[in-house]
Amino acid sequence: MKKALLTALLVGMSAAPAQQLFAKGFNYNYVQGQYVKPSMDNVDGGSGFAITGSVALNDNFALNAGYNDASFDNDIDASGYNVGVTYHMPVADSTDILLNAAFEQAEASAFGISTDDTGYSIGAGIRQKVASAVELEAGIYNVSIFDDSNIGFGAAALVDVAKNIALGVSYENLDESNTIGVGVRAGF
């Protein structure tokens, strides 16, 4: 259960931000913070935060990184970070297909026992600007960490509220877990 929890938290808090990149007119240089509410079968009361960022290398590639931390009522804590790269392929003026890969590191402690591991994630997604200030995105990914491999999916919506500032909501599902996030993204 601890492996599934940590994998779900790590990916649920990091995969979606990696997909918030590119497409014509989109800013792919940003910092984002989220309050996250993870839940998992047989584990109650999770909450935490995620901080992510992206820096464009050129017109088609960006480096991205993230850190996340969450605690549960049952004396379970989890945290992790990732560093990766995203490649995009525009398919229309307001749509990109995204491919990403990342190095993942995760730690968990439960009931006085701690563990950590490293692994990787790979994913594919789509980002669509559906109105001048509204973006939708969705993706599927595979995470391999803690001697386990799981496929997950996520979706997010972003609404521009000012120049280079967007509010967002996200949902991630991986194995036995779900994570809902709300946050703000600042472009630079």
Side-chain angles (χ1 to χ4, degrees):
M1 179 171 85
K2 190 169 26 172
K3 289 180 190 180
L5 170 67
L6 197 47
T7 301
L9 288 173
L10 183 65
V11 174
M13 293 183 218
S14 63
Q19 295 171 359
Q20 296 171 356
L21 308 174
F22 306 110
K24 185 176 178 182
F26 292 155
N27 184 0
Y28 44 92
N29 292 299
Y30 69 87
V31 175
Q32 180 170 314
Q34 280 191 307
Y35 168 77
V36 293
K37 193 80 172 147
S39 66
M40 187 172 165
D41 294 350
N42 303 318
V43 179
D44 298 324
S47 65
F49 68 91
I51 301 170
T52 57
S54 174
V55 175
L57 296 175
N58 60 32
D59 289 342
N60 297 97
F61 286 93
L63 288 178
N64 41 66
Y67 175 79
N68 59 73
D69 192 279
S71 296
F72 291 82
D73 292 344
N74 300 12
D75 194 30
I76 298 172
D77 297 309
S79 64
Y81 68 86
N82 62 59
V83 177
V85 62
T86 298
Y87 174 76
H88 78 96
M89 296 178 292
V91 293
D93 282 346
S94 61
T95 306
D96 264 12
I97 300 294
L98 309 168
L99 304 173
N100 52 20
F103 167 82
E104 306 279 351
Q105 189 282 335
E107 299 178 27
S109 64
F111 316 111
I113 300 171
S114 296
T115 187
D116 62 67
D117 197 14
T118 58
Y120 68 90
S121 62
I122 57 173
I126 187 168
R127 184 174 183 196
Q128 173 75 47
K129 190 159 193 139
V130 295
S132 63
V134 179
E135 301 170 27
L136 301 177
E137 53 192 69
I140 188 167
Y141 46 86
N142 183 340
V143 180
S144 293
I145 197 166
F146 289 109
D147 299 323
D148 201 7
S149 184
N150 291 293
I151 294 176
F153 68 89
L158 296 167
V159 177
D160 295 333
V161 294
K163 183 175 181 174
N164 293 323
I165 303 292
L167 298 179
V169 60
S170 64
Y171 171 79
E172 300 285 332
N173 176 276
L174 182 68
D175 196 28
E176 300 171 358
S177 69
N178 299 291
T179 302
I180 297 171
V182 294
V184 62
R185 180 179 69 179
F188 55 92

